[in-house]
Amino acid sequence: PRAHLTINPAFTIGPVRRRLFGGFVEHLGRHIYDGIHEPGHPSAGPDGFRRDVVELVKELGVSTVRYPGGNFVSGYNWEDGVGPVAERPRRLDLAWHSTETNQVGLHEFQHWLDLVGSELMLAVNLGTRGPKEAVELLEYTNLPAGTARAEQRAANGREKPFGIAMWCLGNEMDGPWQLGHRDATDYGKLASMTAKAMRQVDQNLELVACGSSGRGMPTFGEWERVVLNHAYDDVDYISCHAYYQEHDGDLASFLASGVDMDTYIESVVATVDHVRTVKRSSKRVDLAFDEWNIWYMSRWQEKARTFTIDEWPVAPRLLEDRYTVADAVVLGGLLISLLNHADRVTSANLAQLVNVIAPIMTEPGGPAWRQTTFFPFSVTSHAARGDALRVLADADETTTATFGSVPVVAAAATSDGTGLSVFLQNRHLTEATTVTIDLRAFQPTGAVSAQGIWDTDVRAANDLRDPHRVGLRNNDTARLSDGLLTVELPPVSWTALTVP
Ligand code: AHR
């Protein structure tokens, strides 16, 4: 197969915001306890946080980190996680059928974010709690001084406010599994009421209303319309969540998951803009894709059915998916989709970060390592700079059971005026694809570098026994001549080209 692409610096989509490369840390399984926080581990500091994990998170290049959930937040009392650690209560975590020890809370997590150099995006509990508790939390985090909550924060060791800008108004409130799940009208009113109250404390907040938990939800589309009908003027973003997995060995459709993400984003944009039209509003609401990843969800659903009343483990091994080369190629394709919608998806969070459906894995007392999905994320996060550019593509097609015929190559490009990066996914199962890219508008002169992920065994993965089995590879077929770049993409591959 062949693909011919044309890229021109004038075809801008929008700026590549750092927040597009966010992460997500939930109190879930071994994410926090025995993941990022393991007192006694040889690499842990006196604060109990593993420095080997800190280094990997930095290398991954995550910007904003959403916390503390997820489904967990809908049953969470933020007050349980502040104050003297020894006095904190052990609580049932109903979402994940575990015991929450509260050894890590807001202060500790902010300290960890300072170590990794990332921004906090905080979710409030609108499942079992409401506007009052959200406002009290905001008072605790953002008010400089002079009230009980601000003084409590100072007494707990932090004189200076946290100054948190991004807030999620609950989590997946459309999902029947969510504690406090409600319909779109009830949630829309609650989100509006909570946002208004929070803005009475701090006008500079960026607020995210819950969109659908997925494009497959029966209320998808109508949920966004009704919620925004109530809350359009009060919020800055509506969220999107999407998890992909290979079904019944259909790798061809799985590789084209980015096509589904494109449709998802474009459907939500259409719905948001419909509400804007009806409201005659000049304000634009953007999309926060605040959960996306590959997740073999059915494994968790089977486990969840078997819990008994005496089974409330601390930091159990949950959602510890082991990712293959094929998964990494799909993840690279999802990043291509996000970049191609950088005008409206202005914030996104890979869900999640460590041990739980994560690019980084750890073993208690043992090593930390990169899963296959680590590589496309870290390369894209570092190489995508400046503006996202529209790529004009004339590509052969490949057939999928789920999406019909799709272009054999998915592509995205960014440029900061001095350098250009191009991200490519070859969806062909067995054949290399020859790509020609017309870059004459850039008058490029330097050498091209091409690295990516592919393998003769697309099911290869990294694990405790062989943590370096899969890594980035150089593609030495890339050639640049008279502004035309050619490269051979191996079957089932993801590649990043950088042109100085
Ligand atoms: O990321 C795992 C879970 O997926 C989150 O807790 C929830 O929001 C979503 O359903």
Side-chain angles (χ1 to χ4, degrees):
R2 305 195 151 264
H4 183 78
L5 314 177
T6 306
I7 307 176
N8 186 304
F11 305 163
T12 54
I13 298 172
V16 179
R17 294 174 173 86
R18 285 305 307 151
R19 281 190 181 150
L20 209 53
F21 303 102
F24 174 31
V25 172
E26 177 163 4
H27 283 253
L28 195 183
R30 296 194 306 124
H31 200 158
I32 296 192
Y33 310 115
D34 277 357
I36 66 174
H37 190 255
E38 192 189 332
H41 185 277
S43 90
D47 50 16
F49 288 113
R50 284 180 64 156
R51 296 307 192 263
D52 55 350
V53 176
V54 166
E55 288 313 309
L56 284 176
V57 173
K58 283 193 199 161
E59 185 186 322
L60 184 66
V62 288
S63 51
T64 313
V65 179
R66 185 167 176 253
Y67 172 86
N71 296 339
F72 170 79
V73 80
S74 295
Y76 184 50
N77 297 334
W78 66 267
E79 302 89 334
D80 292 344
V82 301
V85 173
E87 292 166 25
R88 294 187 193 169
R90 289 165 71 91
R91 300 274 190 210
L92 294 184
D93 166 7
L94 299 181
W96 303 108
H97 221 278
S98 310
T99 298
E100 172 55 51
T101 62
N102 286 304
Q103 297 303 288
V104 172
L106 183 60
H107 290 255
E108 294 79 21
F109 192 68
Q110 179 64 60
H111 165 69
W112 183 77
L113 285 176
D114 293 341
L115 295 176
V116 300
S118 296
E119 179 198 19
L120 179 58
M121 176 186 195
L122 198 60
V124 300
N125 174 355
L126 291 188
T128 54
R129 310 187 95 191
K132 178 173 176 288
E133 293 86 355
V135 163
E136 284 172 0
L137 173 56
L138 176 62
E139 181 189 332
Y140 185 92
T141 61
N142 284 19
L143 206 82
T147 67
R149 289 296 187 193
E151 277 164 24
Q152 186 189 2
R153 179 192 69 235
N156 287 337
R158 191 164 171 125
E159 188 92 36
K160 235 178 83 203
F162 291 87
I164 301 162
M166 287 278 274
W167 294 76
C168 302
L169 302 170
N171 178 69
E172 294 192 344
M173 299 306 298
D174 64 323
W177 59 85
Q178 199 70 213
L179 279 171
H181 156 65
R182 52 202 80 201
D183 68 21
T185 302
D186 286 355
Y187 172 69
K189 288 181 181 169
L190 178 62
S192 164
M193 189 186 312
T194 307
K196 283 192 173 83
M198 291 175 75
R199 287 200 200 281
Q200 279 178 251
V201 179
D202 187 342
Q203 294 189 14
N204 297 320
L205 304 178
E206 294 177 62
L207 301 178
V208 185
C210 294
S212 295
S213 309
R215 188 174 159 237
M217 296 297 288
T219 49
F220 175 64
E222 190 59 0
W223 172 273
E224 282 77 359
R225 187 189 70 77
V226 174
V227 167
L228 287 176
N229 192 33
H230 291 285
Y232 194 89
D233 294 337
D234 306 310
V235 302
D236 305 284
Y237 299 89
I238 184 110
S239 69
C240 299
H241 288 184
Y243 292 101
Y244 296 96
Q245 74 176 91
E246 186 178 335
H247 292 283
D248 305 322
D250 180 6
L251 180 56
S253 298
F254 182 45
L255 286 170
S257 297
V259 172
D260 181 85
M261 193 183 234
D262 291 343
T263 309
Y264 186 175
I265 292 169
E266 287 154 24
S267 310
V268 176
V269 168
T271 309
V272 171
D273 289 350
H274 165 75
V275 178
R276 176 186 176 183
T277 305
V278 172
K279 288 187 173 288
R280 281 79 173 148
S281 174
S282 57
K283 173 184 166 184
R284 204 180 74 169
V285 169
D286 280 344
L287 276 52
F289 218 121
D290 60 21
E291 285 188 34
W292 69 272
N293 202 350
I294 292 138
W295 177 13
Y296 291 84
M297 202 182 289
S298 39
R299 295 176 197 159
W300 157 251
Q301 287 162 339
E302 278 159 33
K303 169 77 193 148
R305 277 192 282 275
T306 66
F307 282 118
T308 56
I309 192 161
D310 56 353
E311 204 183 341
W312 298 95
V314 174
R317 290 184 186 253
L318 294 180
L319 280 52
E320 299 202 4
D321 285 358
R322 175 175 172 271
Y323 293 119
T324 64
V325 168
D327 293 323
V329 172
V330 172
L331 190 130
L334 297 174
L335 283 161
I336 287 171
S337 173
L338 291 174
L339 285 172
N340 283 332
H341 296 93
D343 53 339
R344 294 305 292 273
V345 182
T346 53
S347 179
N349 303 75
L350 177 69
Q352 300 196 11
L353 207 49
V354 177
N355 288 333
V356 173
I357 44 173
I360 298 167
M361 296 300 290
T362 71
E363 191 56 26
W369 66 94
R370 302 166 189 82
Q371 293 235 57
T372 58
T373 52
F374 184 99
F375 300 104
F377 189 98
S378 68
V379 171
T380 308
S381 169
H382 289 100
R385 285 279 174 275
D387 284 323
L389 303 178
R390 178 94 38 225
V391 178
L392 293 190
D394 177 11
D396 287 342
E397 301 206 316
T398 184
T399 307
T400 68
T402 307
F403 307 108
S405 286
V406 299
V408 70
V409 166
T414 68
S415 174
D416 63 1
T418 56
L420 170 77
S421 299
V422 185
F423 306 95
L424 301 167
Q425 184 205 29
N426 182 12
R427 295 169 171 154
H428 204 285
L429 294 182
T430 53
E431 290 175 36
T433 297
T434 306
V435 179
T436 316
I437 314 177
D438 183 341
L439 297 178
R440 283 174 295 183
F442 290 90
Q443 301 184 322
T445 48
V448 188
S449 88
Q451 53 176 190
I453 191 154
W454 65 90
D455 204 284
T456 46
D457 177 7
V458 298
R459 308 292 171 190
N462 295 337
D463 55 24
L464 181 58
R465 270 174 308 157
D466 195 357
H468 301 292
R469 164 66 182 81
V470 179
L472 283 173
R473 310 168 71 141
N474 289 323
N475 183 332
D476 53 19
T477 65
R479 301 273 179 278
L480 182 62
S481 166
D482 297 329
L484 293 181
L485 195 161
T486 55
V487 64
E488 291 275 309
L489 303 180
V492 191
S493 65
W494 173 88
T495 303
L497 304 168
T498 48
V499 186

